[in-house]
Structure formats: C-alpha cells, structure tokens
Amino acid sequence: MLSTDFTPGSPNWLDLASPDTIASEAFYGTVFGWTFASAGPEAGGYGFFQQGGRTVAALGPLTDDSAHPGWTIYFSTRDADRTTALVDAAGGTVRFAPFDVFSSGRMAGYRDPTGADFAVWQPHDTRGLDTVTEQGTFCWAECYSVDAEAAKAFYRATFGWQEQDVPLGDVTYTVLTPAGGGTDDAHGGIVQLGPEQTAAGTTSHWLPYFEVTNVDAALALAGQLGATVRIPATDVHGVGRLAQLVDPHGAVFAVITSALPGA
C-alpha cells in the first residue's frame, strides 16, 4: 500500500490540472471533504487540497492551450536529472526538463513509450503528500497501457520497480513495488488496455485511486455534481469495491472501498 515513507520510485505527489480551478475546488471538496489552500500569488494559481490541515493532493490551472485536464502522479526520486537521463535512455519523452520549485523540491515531467504521462518529485523542503491511504486520500496508482509489456520494461529500467503478475478475471494485472520493497510496499499496477477500449479512443494513462467509505455513495454524489461514470461500481475479491469516474472537466480518477485484510 502507499505510505509516506516515500522510498525512491514510490508515488509521493499528485496534482490536478483544471481549466476552472474554482469549480474543481468545489467538486472535489464536496466529494471528498477537502479544503483548498493557495500556495500564494507567486505560485500562479497553484495550491493544495487538504484534509484536516494535511495536504492530500494539489490543484493548478492548465499551463497552456495544448494541455488537457487531468491528474498527474509523481514518483519519488533522489535525482531528477539522473531520472531524466534514464527516461531518455529507456525510450520515454521528456515533457518538461527538471527545474526547482522554490525551495520545496525539483520536478520533471515525462511520457512513457506507450503514451502515459507521469512526473517525478525530488524533495527538498517538501517531502511529499502529508497523508495517503486514509479515507479521502490517494491510495493506489494504476497505469492503463496500449502495450503493457513495453510499459513494464520502461518503468523497470527507469525506477527498478519489481513486478508480480496476478490473474484478474480475463486480464493479467501486474502489481508494482519499489526496488527492494516487499509485498506490503506495493504502490500500483499496470494493466493492458483491451481492444474495445482502444477502439473507443482510450489511450495510455495513469489513474489515481482515492479511498472512500462507500463507493456507491461517492458515485451518486459525484454524479449529482456533473461527473460521469467510466466503470460502474464493481466488487473485486480480495481488493474491494471500486469504480472509475470522469470529473466535470474530463479528468479521470477512481474510488475504492478497500477490502479488510483477510477478506
């Protein structure tokens, strides 16, 4: 599961790019009970979603006319410049080169060879999110890929992730763990997009999951606020009850009520 240990290669930050940050504040604030704290006038509209005064995600405006609404998952690195070189060597694309964010840390953004965007965060003053895996917080990172085998090879070369293939219905789900981690350190997964998904225009992407008390209640509330359901609520044995949504501006995310240990 995700934790705030933030070992290299594990998710340590998450932010949403929105064409209407005020509307997004209201939507996610209602669905998850988050509040919003601006990072200040020098941050260009960027700020932090918080729960009980602890940062659980971040929010900012679209950076240019070609940008699309969406969540970006960041993975921890000790050296963003070295990670950039590894991304390039493994066949990825550098969307934006490493740069310092005040004294908070250093970041860079990439696209994997199958088309999924992600980023890295090299912490300085800000280690990462204040809390994860609790109710209303980020708890899992999932990559849907048009070529899962190519994606696995890329992330293995970039982060040294360990993999475990698990049968899940008609598909193989690859559970991801940071280098040197154990089963309890798993932070996400990779799954192959099916022909019907790609035919419908779905491209490779990373999807954040948020823990909720009741998936069906969260779906109903989000729907009242203008979200649409991408995958309806589904029970997955040993995992929990989960669903995928598209927010009113087009950003995809998932909600889950995780199964209790041993269930």
Side-chain angles (χ1 to χ4, degrees), residues 5 20 75 86 158 165 185 203:
D5 291 342
D20 186 339
F75 299 95
L86 290 171
T158 300
D165 288 341
D185 301 314
T203 57

Side-chain angles (χ1 to χ4, degrees), residues 18-227:
S18 171
D20 186 339
T21 56
I22 300 299
S24 292
E25 286 177 38
F27 174 80
Y28 288 97
T30 302
V31 173
F32 295 126
W34 295 344
T35 58
F36 181 77
S38 171
E42 70 279 6
Y46 196 84
F48 312 110
F49 283 124
Q50 296 187 323
Q51 180 175 272
R54 298 182 296 174
T55 296
V56 297
L59 168 68
L62 296 179
T63 54
D64 57 60
D65 292 339
S66 64
H68 300 287
W71 285 98
T72 298
I73 297 173
Y74 294 68
F75 299 95
S76 179
T77 180
R78 291 194 178 101
D79 187 336
D81 295 271
R82 180 175 182 276
T83 300
T84 299
L86 290 171
V87 166
D88 186 61
T93 301
V94 178
R95 294 188 298 118
F96 55 88
F99 67 94
D100 292 321
V101 182
F102 308 112
S103 63
S104 297
R106 189 166 174 81
M107 65 182 288
Y110 315 110
R111 179 168 295 133
D112 77 22
T114 79
D117 290 347
F118 68 103
V120 294
W121 179 253
Q122 177 186 334
H124 293 156
D125 293 346
T126 300
R127 291 183 62 248
L129 301 175
D130 291 331
T131 182
V132 295
T133 319
E134 297 181 3
Q135 293 297 319
T137 70
F138 180 36
C139 65
W140 192 251
E142 197 164 80
C143 180
Y144 284 83
S145 180
V146 297
D147 188 340
E149 292 303 316
K152 286 190 280 187
F154 168 79
Y155 290 108
R156 194 185 310 128
T158 300
F159 293 120
W161 287 344
Q162 301 168 168
E163 305 161 6
Q164 179 182 5
D165 288 341
V166 178
L168 192 65
D170 296 331
V171 302
T172 296
Y173 191 92
T174 300
V175 178
L176 304 169
T177 306
T183 303
D184 290 343
D185 301 314
H187 63 260
I190 293 178
V191 64
Q192 175 72 42
L193 284 168
E196 69 286 351
Q197 293 168 302
T198 55
T202 303
T203 57
S204 298
H205 62 282
W206 278 95
L207 179 77
Y209 278 70
F210 299 97
E211 189 74 36
V212 294
T213 304
N214 185 306
V215 164
D216 298 271
L219 279 181
L221 180 56
Q224 292 171 9
L225 299 170

